[in-house]
Amino acid sequence: MSHPDIRRLDAYRLEILPSYKRGMHASAIVYADEALERLLEPAAIEQTANTATLPGLAGHALAMPDIHTGYGFPIGGVAAFDARTGVISPGGVGYDINCGVRLLATSLESRLLRPELGELAAALH
């Protein structure tokens, strides 16, 4: 990528510096070697930078090697957010058809579910 605010960290990672876009809270890291870098969609890079502007970002916005343009949040994007000051991004949870990522809220306690996780996962599938 030829942009002054994107640099190669090592053979497998690019860094989008916070100076790339106003409001970025941290760098965004894209996992891509030089061959994959040539295939990256510019809109997916832009969405990765946008992810780094979201409130409560905990650490870096990340983009996996299969990154592609999503609905605001890139498909293949990963970010963690502070539970008190952050957001939940449905695009980050998964809009990809059959991507296997889901969000489920429940009042059940994990210690009670743990012995039944296999059966529960099969039933939800």
Side-chain angles (χ1 to χ4, degrees):
M1 307 225 91
S2 180
H3 191 285
D5 296 318
I6 300 176
R7 66 181 180 144
R8 181 152 288 286
L9 289 175
D10 55 35
Y12 303 104
R13 296 179 303 154
L14 296 167
E15 179 181 26
I16 305 171
L17 298 168
S19 53
Y20 177 87
K21 178 181 279 288
R22 183 185 192 108
M24 287 178 68
H25 301 293
S27 296
I29 306 297
V30 180
Y31 288 85
D33 62 16
E34 288 184 13
L36 282 175
E37 180 181 347
R38 291 189 287 277
L39 302 175
L40 294 173
E41 298 172 353
I45 293 300
E46 192 67 22
Q47 289 180 338
T48 303
N50 289 343
T51 301
T53 70
L54 293 173
L57 180 68
H60 300 284
L62 304 174
M64 299 301 105
D66 67 341
I67 185 176
H68 54 285
T69 305
Y71 301 97
F73 199 107
I75 306 300
V78 178
F81 299 95
D82 183 276
R84 291 176 307 273
T85 63
V87 298
I88 295 174
S89 169
V93 174
Y95 283 134
D96 239 357
I97 295 172
N98 242 353
C99 71
V101 178
R102 304 292 183 263
L103 172 67
L104 174 67
T106 179
S107 61
L108 299 172
E109 296 179 30
S110 62
R111 67 178 175 80
L112 299 174
L113 289 176
R114 203 167 318 281
E116 310 298 328
L117 283 180
E119 188 176 333
L120 178 60
L124 289 171
H125 185 269

